[in-house]
Amino acid sequence: MATLGLLSGTKSVKSVKVSFRLPYYTQWGQSLIVCGSVPVLGSWNVKKGLLLTPVHQGGELIWRGSIAVPSGFDCEYSYYVVDDEKNVLRWEMGRRRKLLLPEGILNGQEVELRDLWQTGSDALPFRSAFKNVIFRQSFDWKIEAPVGIKNIKVDQEADTIFVQFKICCPNIEEDISVYVVGNHAKLGQWKAQNGLKLSYGGDSIWQADCVVQKGDFPIKYRYCKYGREGSITLENAPNRELTIDSSNNQSRYIFLSDGMLREMPWRGAGVAMPMFSVRTESDLGVGEFLDLKLLVDLAVESGFHLVQLLPINDTSVHGMWWDSYPYSSLSVFALHPLYLRVQAVSESTPQDVKQEIEKEKHLLDGKDVDYEATMATKLSIAKKIFNLEKDLILNSTSFQEFFSENEDWLKPYAAFCFLRDFFETSDHSQWGRFSHYSKEKLEKLVAKDSVHYDTICFHYYIQYHLHLQLSEAAAYARKKGVVLKGDLPIGVDRNSVDTWVYPNLFRMNTSTGAPPDYFDKNGQNWGFPTYNWEEMSTDNYAWWRARLTQMSKYFTAYRIDHILGFFRIWELPDHAMTGLVGKFRPSIALSQDELEREGIWDFNRLSRPYIRQQLLEDVFGASWTFVSTNFLTEYQKQHYEFKEDCNTEKKIAAKLKSLAERSLLLEGEDKIRRNLFDLIQNIVLIRDPEDPRKFYPRFNIEDTTSFKDLDDNSKNILKRLYYDYYFHRQENLWRQNALKTLPALLDSSDMLACGEDLGLIPSCVHPVMQELGLIGLRIQRMPSEPGQEFGIPSQYNYMTVCAPSCHDCSTLRAWWEEDEERRHRYFKSVVGSDMLPPDRCVPEIANYVIRQHVEAPSMWAIFPLQDLLALKEEYTTRPAAEETINDPTNPKHYWRYRSHVTLETLIKDNELKAIIKDLVAGSGRSYPLGESDIRVNNVSAAATTEKVANGGEKIYLTTESGGMPQKEVLVVH
């Protein structure tokens, strides 16, 4: 058999063997694949990628594989975990790896790529919050040697190996060098000043080459920063080790990708404040975007690197105070006119309008936000200014650029607002021929020759100025080294621009909520339609990606509201008012066949409200006959069912309202409604409205009399199925769902992402968040650990945001004062004191709790401004209950809390700022140092060395972390 080399006319191809090596632990049935941009690595088709082979080496599981490539080969590649069918289970986060083979590698030689799996946390330093704000540099690093481009010259006769060290170091100051030091002579024998200096290769990558003898292995080493006057910062981790396989004599080139420089984890702090809650001397009844500049100043002077807001999108659905709810967006793209500073709209505002503004400032300067009056006033004043300068603004280059960049959402938004006002409702099903959106209808609505074109342009005009003002504030925050963190609501209002334009993306016959939890024993019903994820996936979640792209124009970080919704959502029928009788979507239902195999047969008994006469008498007393006459039908002796006109929660509420208006109710409307809701929720199984042979166990079935009246065998079967449904059988499905949806969000912008993971947390959630580099949330009074009443901040994971409270619960001060017994338990278990705690949350208590949180390992400690005000007695005169932002148990809560202290007052309060900054600095957290010298992770070290046994050295490091000197001894051997 002839070989190719003997065939006449063939040209010899110079071939190099490229070997991949990655340490990674997998579960049974999982494998690793390398997939890349070239055919030999699958051309990004993972199923055609290179399948690696596992080898146990010491205590590690090493995955290996190799390909033959021509000289000068280059490509991009990544690693993937797959199952036996090569379906992707997870993949590396961060940027794609780049391979460019250097010149000088001889035919037949082997190049070994030693990589480390890139986790989600490895990618965080390249998110805009760090890259463009916290680690922002006022200087540019000069690329000394582009990554991978080298001419290698190795003596092929000598017993030597070429090694390239490569490390990622995104946070480095000017005049600092990166070295690799180790136990080899070329690595300085552990002396940093004699180590191997790395060159900057771009993209935060530092690299250096050296040639060593095979007999020199194993080599132990670390990376370090070497600065002015000999300051040293060594990696904060055990030594790295480089070994070679003695049985492999071909590999003469080793390219090390050592991941991130292992430093002390960066930690920072921030302040949380809803935009509407801000009070300044310039605002008109509510916080405004330009007020963020003052909030940023306060943050910097208090040692905070972050300012967190609630959603700021337009919520003008009802035209009344209900629209104060910031999580029910009219448009996920449009900004809220509430936050416009009308004084800054024009430089030539007429004097009479200026006088009107000053007059309204005094009228609207109340204790709380007057949502309706403030909106009406701002729109009225803005309309007067618009009428004077509309031609000038609409024809300006700046406006034209804004319109061109945003017209895809801006036109539908303006048209929607016009139709909403014309028909006096946002319910687009009531808009006649405009009920169904089309581009043709839209273009007619926004046409320049239409009689209402000025009205359309007014909405453009408002959004343009909101954009300018928020952009100005966002740029100011970045310049000051402060991360501006936004909020991504999980839902949109069912009567919104988005449901009008994209009805196929929503399940309009459903409602979104949350099962019973810490906030509400009856669950929550938010009223949003659930998402049609299947339809969204057809264009790779373009609507979501557009949302995040829009947010990233202003924010460098964001909070994903109810991140569980990307794993599964609590779905309710649209006729529900409470959040109790719902089901998870997606989920694996209990099929009728499955239930029958288990011995469950009476599906009507289990899935209809279980109403017996005795129960009616027990619940309603003497009024039971009135209730049964008006709401129920006796279908067999002493067995009742709801009448057709009141067989849902919404129908019950409507009928009760009608009876109350006619003064026919014998008891209070609220009490009867609660009891009737309990009756209609008295079921064991929920029948799927789309498939009658599928069922879902009702949440907390053991609390129902329907369950209690079953025989013991049926109870045991249903309990087992209940716990399987809620805690086991969905885990893999939900994990796969999240890994389809969340990466589309994370990849659509470079913002830092945090996930609100409170409530009933499936076990699949935290591993997926960790894998994707998503930062979780820890609220001390809502611990995620089972059996704990209070969280222990010192035990929190690094990839978390910790806080003593949030906008969805009472403030620290109110929480402390509302429950005496709980206060005693907290004082004993957390403070560790048997003394009687003070009745009030005095500054000493606030200081203790805040110190607990800033000292936590969490990446971020973020505090509501109300909790910070509790540090000083003079700011605690307002009743604590008035400082609560939201009451999750009340679907019609008025979101109107407004700080009783202006930002100007707080900025002048040097005592409060010093208290806060001392807490932040004393915890070792980073803090902004000022406009001209923004440096974070400020660690410098004066080092002395002392010889120790066995030829090693003891290195004494005096470090400064966040301004606090700390002395440590690090033994390197």
Side-chain angles (χ1 to χ4, degrees):
M1 180 177 177
T3 63
L4 287 175
L6 297 176
L7 295 176
S8 60
T10 59
K11 185 177 180 180
S12 176
V13 178
K14 189 175 179 181
S15 177
V16 176
K17 180 180 178 182
V18 174
S19 296
F20 300 90
R21 180 187 185 276
L22 181 81
Y24 190 86
Y25 284 103
T26 56
Q27 297 177 0
W28 183 259
Q30 297 178 348
S31 299
L32 255 66
I33 278 180
V34 181
C35 186
S37 58
V38 291
V40 72
L41 291 178
S43 298
W44 296 121
N45 181 343
V46 176
K47 294 199 174 188
K48 294 181 179 180
L50 174 65
L51 185 65
L52 303 183
T53 303
V55 177
H56 285 280
Q57 186 172 315
E60 292 184 309
L61 185 64
I62 308 294
W63 291 84
R64 295 177 176 274
S66 61
I67 54 174
V69 300
S71 177
F73 174 82
D74 69 278
C75 73
E76 293 184 334
Y77 68 98
S78 290
Y79 293 96
Y80 299 81
V81 178
V82 298
D83 61 17
D84 290 335
E85 303 297 323
K86 292 190 176 180
N87 297 309
V88 176
L89 301 177
R90 70 184 67 92
W91 55 91
E92 287 190 295
M93 296 299 291
R95 297 171 296 183
R96 290 174 172 173
R97 301 173 185 272
K98 294 182 179 180
L99 170 61
L100 175 58
L101 286 187
E103 298 294 333
I105 299 179
L106 298 182
N107 187 34
Q109 289 289 313
E110 178 179 353
V111 172
E112 187 177 29
L113 306 178
R114 297 199 179 187
D115 293 326
L116 298 176
W117 180 271
Q118 294 178 163
T119 66
S121 58
D122 289 337
L124 294 186
F126 302 100
R127 295 291 182 180
S128 57
F130 290 104
K131 181 179 64 176
N132 299 332
V133 182
I134 297 171
F135 296 164
R136 180 174 62 91
Q137 296 164 339
S138 57
F139 56 93
D140 293 321
W141 283 105
K142 181 181 179 182
I143 295 179
E144 301 165 292
V147 173
I149 301 176
K150 288 278 184 179
N151 288 316
I152 295 177
K153 294 182 180 180
V154 178
D155 186 348
Q156 300 300 320
E157 302 300 323
D159 204 17
T160 56
I161 292 181
F162 171 91
V163 178
Q164 182 179 89
F165 295 91
K166 186 167 66 176
I167 192 73
C168 183
C169 186
N171 177 25
I172 191 164
E173 301 164 27
E174 195 172 10
D175 298 329
I176 297 291
S177 301
V178 181
Y179 281 73
V180 57
V181 296
N183 63 353
H184 190 277
K186 292 191 175 180
L187 303 184
Q189 296 289 6
W190 292 118
K191 293 182 179 179
Q193 60 270 32
N194 296 333
L196 181 63
K197 185 177 180 181
L198 280 66
S199 301
Y200 185 59
D203 289 332
S204 299
I205 299 295
W206 299 76
Q207 64 183 18
D209 309 331
C210 70
V211 177
V212 295
Q213 299 292 321
K214 282 191 175 182
D216 294 336
F217 292 88
I219 297 174
K220 295 183 179 181
Y221 64 99
R222 289 192 195 188
Y223 295 93
C224 73
K225 293 179 182 178
Y226 191 87
R228 296 177 295 274
E229 300 176 359
S231 62
I232 302 169
T233 306
L234 276 167
E235 283 194 292
N236 185 40
N239 293 333
R240 301 174 188 260
E241 187 171 34
L242 176 60
T243 60
I244 57 172
D245 185 354
S246 58
S247 63
N248 183 359
N249 293 317
Q250 292 185 332
S251 181
R252 305 291 296 275
Y253 308 92
I254 298 176
F255 289 77
L256 295 172
S257 292
D258 274 328
M260 304 291 293
L261 186 77
R262 297 167 179 170
E263 302 181 270
M264 286 293 290
W266 184 94
R267 293 155 62 241
V271 58
M273 191 67 167
M275 192 70 260
F276 58 81
S277 298
V278 169
R279 184 189 293 269
T280 68
E281 295 171 3
S282 301
D283 68 47
L284 188 60
V286 70
E288 298 163 345
F289 286 148
L290 288 176
D291 291 330
L292 288 173
K293 296 168 75 172
L294 282 178
L295 189 54
V296 165
D297 287 341
L298 177 64
V300 170
E301 293 175 32
S302 301
F304 291 142
H305 261 303
L306 182 145
V307 166
Q308 177 172 311
L309 305 178
L310 293 187
I312 54 171
N313 295 103
D314 191 355
T315 58
S316 308
V317 176
H318 304 97
M320 58 179 295
W321 66 263
W322 288 2
D323 297 336
S324 66
Y325 179 35
Y327 286 91
S328 188
S329 305
L330 177 85
S331 165
V332 298
F333 299 100
L335 300 171
H336 206 309
L338 188 70
Y339 305 129
L340 180 72
R341 174 159 293 167
V342 291
Q343 303 96 305
V345 165
S346 174
E347 295 180 355
S348 53
T349 303
Q351 192 62 34
D352 60 329
V353 175
K354 289 181 178 179
Q355 291 173 354
E356 181 182 358
I357 292 172
E358 288 304 311
K359 176 184 174 183
E360 294 296 339
K361 273 179 64 176
H362 294 294
L363 292 175
L364 294 172
D365 190 24
K367 181 177 68 175
D368 297 306
V369 176
D370 186 334
Y371 181 90
E372 294 174 36
T374 303
M375 273 291 286
T377 298
K378 289 199 172 193
L379 290 176
S380 172
I381 293 172
K383 190 65 180 286
K384 292 175 182 177
I385 301 173
F386 168 76
N387 289 334
L388 295 171
E389 64 171 24
K390 59 187 176 185
D391 293 335
L392 175 67
I393 298 299
L394 297 179
N395 292 318
S396 67
T397 302
S398 174
F399 175 82
Q400 293 297 329
E401 289 176 355
F402 166 77
F403 185 82
S404 176
E405 291 177 7
N406 296 278
E407 63 178 313
D408 287 347
W409 66 262
L410 190 57
K411 283 182 176 181
Y413 167 76
F416 186 99
C417 291
F418 165 73
L419 292 170
R420 172 200 62 196
D421 298 341
F422 181 83
F423 288 102
E424 298 183 338
T425 178
S426 292
D427 182 355
H428 38 82
S429 67
Q430 307 298 311
W431 290 353
R433 67 188 184 94
F434 294 109
S435 294
H436 300 288
Y437 170 87
S438 72
K439 286 191 175 181
E440 292 74 19
K441 294 175 187 176
L442 173 66
E443 292 304 326
K444 289 182 179 178
L445 282 167
V446 301
K448 291 185 177 181
D449 58 357
S450 65
V451 295
H452 54 263
Y453 185 63
D454 265 10
T455 303
I456 295 292
C457 287
F458 178 62
H459 296 297
Y460 295 161
Y461 175 86
I462 293 292
Q463 289 300 312
Y464 167 66
H465 281 290
L466 287 166
H467 163 74
L468 291 180
Q469 292 182 13
L470 182 55
S471 296
E472 180 180 335
Y476 187 82
R478 286 192 295 271
K479 180 181 177 183
K480 290 282 190 174
V482 173
V483 173
L484 199 58
K485 183 180 178 184
D487 198 319
L488 183 75
I490 185 63
V492 301
D493 198 282
R494 65 178 58 252
N495 297 318
S496 64
V497 182
D498 301 279
T499 59
W500 182 52
V501 177
Y502 308 106
N504 57 318
L505 301 184
F506 304 91
R507 291 170 51 82
M508 297 298 290
N509 63 337
T510 66
S511 186
T512 307
D517 59 9
Y518 174 91
F519 297 115
D520 196 332
K521 65 180 181 65
N522 289 316
Q524 298 175 55
N525 186 339
W526 302 324
F528 315 132
T530 57
Y531 294 120
N532 184 347
W533 288 112
E534 295 78 11
E535 181 67 26
M536 287 179 162
S537 68
T538 59
D539 59 5
N540 192 27
Y541 309 98
W543 180 78
W544 281 103
R545 289 185 286 110
R547 287 183 72 176
L548 271 296
T549 300
Q550 185 71 10
M551 277 189 77
S552 66
K553 292 178 180 179
Y554 314 111
F555 299 105
T556 49
Y558 65 106
R559 168 190 179 271
I560 303 175
D561 173 46
H562 192 65
I563 197 171
L564 301 185
F566 295 92
F567 293 79
R568 84 306 185 259
I569 199 72
W570 187 244
E571 186 176 74
L572 301 152
D574 61 350
H575 55 69
M577 292 181 67
T578 68
L580 186 61
V581 186
K583 62 183 177 66
F584 289 123
R585 181 176 183 88
S587 65
I588 305 167
L590 303 175
S591 69
Q592 186 166 321
D593 291 341
E594 179 182 3
L595 289 164
E596 289 175 348
R597 285 196 301 270
E598 294 281 356
I600 302 297
W601 301 89
D602 196 349
F603 300 108
N604 282 337
R605 153 73 175 83
L606 296 171
S607 61
R608 347 175 13 182
Y610 180 72
I611 307 171
R612 300 295 180 263
Q613 183 173 317
Q614 186 60 52
L615 177 62
L616 292 175
E617 293 176 4
D618 293 343
V619 172
F620 295 98
S623 302
W624 83 268
T625 53
F626 170 81
V627 170
S628 63
T629 301
N630 285 278
F631 294 91
L632 305 170
T633 299
E634 188 174 17
Y635 65 91
Q636 68 181 62
K637 188 171 177 61
Q638 296 188 353
H639 290 63
Y640 293 82
E641 64 183 2
F642 279 93
K643 293 180 178 180
E644 181 67 26
D645 67 344
C646 52
N647 61 359
T648 70
E649 291 177 359
K650 283 187 178 177
K651 287 180 181 180
I652 289 171
K655 189 164 186 176
L656 277 171
K657 185 176 181 180
S658 174
L659 292 171
E661 288 172 350
R662 290 181 284 157
S663 302
L664 297 176
L665 294 184
L666 303 179
E667 293 184 88
E669 183 180 348
D670 289 345
K671 182 180 179 182
I672 296 179
R673 181 172 60 244
R674 283 196 302 271
N675 288 333
L676 286 171
F677 280 9
D678 286 343
L679 281 187
I680 205 167
Q681 295 163 354
N682 191 22
I683 58 176
V684 173
L685 297 176
I686 300 169
R687 193 186 292 267
D688 192 319
E690 297 172 12
D691 186 344
R693 293 183 62 84
K694 289 182 178 179
F695 298 87
Y696 306 88
R698 202 212 86 159
F699 202 89
N700 290 343
I701 56 170
E702 293 180 60
D703 293 344
T704 67
T705 57
S706 179
F707 178 85
K708 292 173 183 175
D709 282 359
L710 293 172
D711 62 272
D712 288 343
N713 182 54
S714 296
K715 286 181 182 178
N716 291 332
I717 292 170
L718 288 165
K719 275 199 291 187
R720 175 167 49 80
L721 293 173
Y722 173 92
Y723 283 101
D724 179 61
Y725 175 84
Y726 280 101
F727 302 107
H728 298 294
R729 76 193 267 152
Q730 324 291 347
E731 293 294 328
N732 191 50
L733 172 66
W734 292 342
R735 182 183 180 281
Q736 291 174 352
N737 197 54
L739 288 176
K740 289 178 185 175
T741 57
L742 285 172
L745 269 73
L746 300 177
D747 293 343
S748 60
S749 80
D750 63 354
M751 291 184 289
L752 178 69
C754 308
E756 185 260 298
D757 54 347
L758 303 176
L760 184 69
I761 307 295
S763 60
C764 63
V765 171
H766 289 146
V768 168
M769 291 181 66
Q770 182 178 5
E771 192 171 315
L772 298 179
L774 279 160
I775 303 166
L777 177 60
R778 298 293 175 269
I779 305 295
Q780 188 171 27
R781 71 189 72 170
M782 291 177 268
S784 55
E785 297 80 7
Q788 282 190 3
E789 183 178 12
F790 311 111
I792 305 173
S794 62
Q795 296 179 4
Y796 290 161
N797 184 280
Y798 173 68
M799 291 289 289
T800 56
V801 172
C802 70
S805 70
C806 65
H807 68 273
D808 273 330
C809 59
S810 54
T811 62
L812 171 60
R813 201 157 60 93
W815 178 80
W816 182 268
E817 296 169 9
E818 67 193 8
D819 188 326
E820 181 181 357
E821 292 184 4
R822 184 181 62 202
R823 184 166 66 237
H824 282 257
R825 293 194 301 274
Y826 181 91
F827 213 61
K828 183 175 180 62
S829 65
V830 178
V831 181
S833 173
D834 291 322
M835 296 175 61
L836 286 176
D839 295 338
R840 294 177 56 252
C841 183
V842 295
E844 290 78 11
I845 293 294
N847 193 296
Y848 175 85
V849 174
I850 291 173
R851 178 179 282 108
Q852 266 194 318
H853 286 77
V854 293
E855 291 179 352
S858 302
M859 180 189 296
W860 289 100
I862 299 177
F863 303 95
L865 183 65
Q866 302 97 301
D867 291 352
L868 296 171
L869 294 181
L871 288 167
K872 198 167 178 184
E873 188 74 35
E874 68 182 81
Y875 298 130
T876 62
T877 54
R878 185 174 185 174
E882 293 183 2
E883 292 187 326
T884 298
I885 294 168
N886 179 34
D887 175 7
T889 66
N890 179 9
K892 294 300 181 185
H893 175 72
Y894 195 168
W895 296 62
R896 63 187 312 197
Y897 164 70
R898 196 172 180 217
S899 172
H900 61 292
V901 189
T902 66
L903 290 181
E904 290 89 348
T905 298
L906 294 176
I907 287 173
K908 293 174 184 175
D909 191 334
N910 293 326
E911 182 185 2
L912 177 65
K913 291 187 297 184
I915 292 171
I916 298 172
K917 192 163 188 176
D918 285 348
L919 284 166
V920 174
S923 70
R925 289 185 180 271
S926 169
Y927 52 87
L929 298 179
E931 181 177 334
S932 62
D933 186 22
I934 297 177
R935 294 187 299 143
V936 295
N937 201 17
N938 183 19
V939 182
S940 62
T944 57
T945 62
E946 173 188 321
K947 295 290 182 180
V948 297
N950 301 320
E953 289 181 343
K954 183 182 292 183
I955 301 179
Y956 294 85
L957 296 176
T958 304
T959 66
E960 288 185 6
S961 180
M964 291 296 291
Q966 299 173 343
K967 190 160 187 174
E968 60 183 83
V969 179
L970 185 62
V971 176
V972 181
H973 177 60

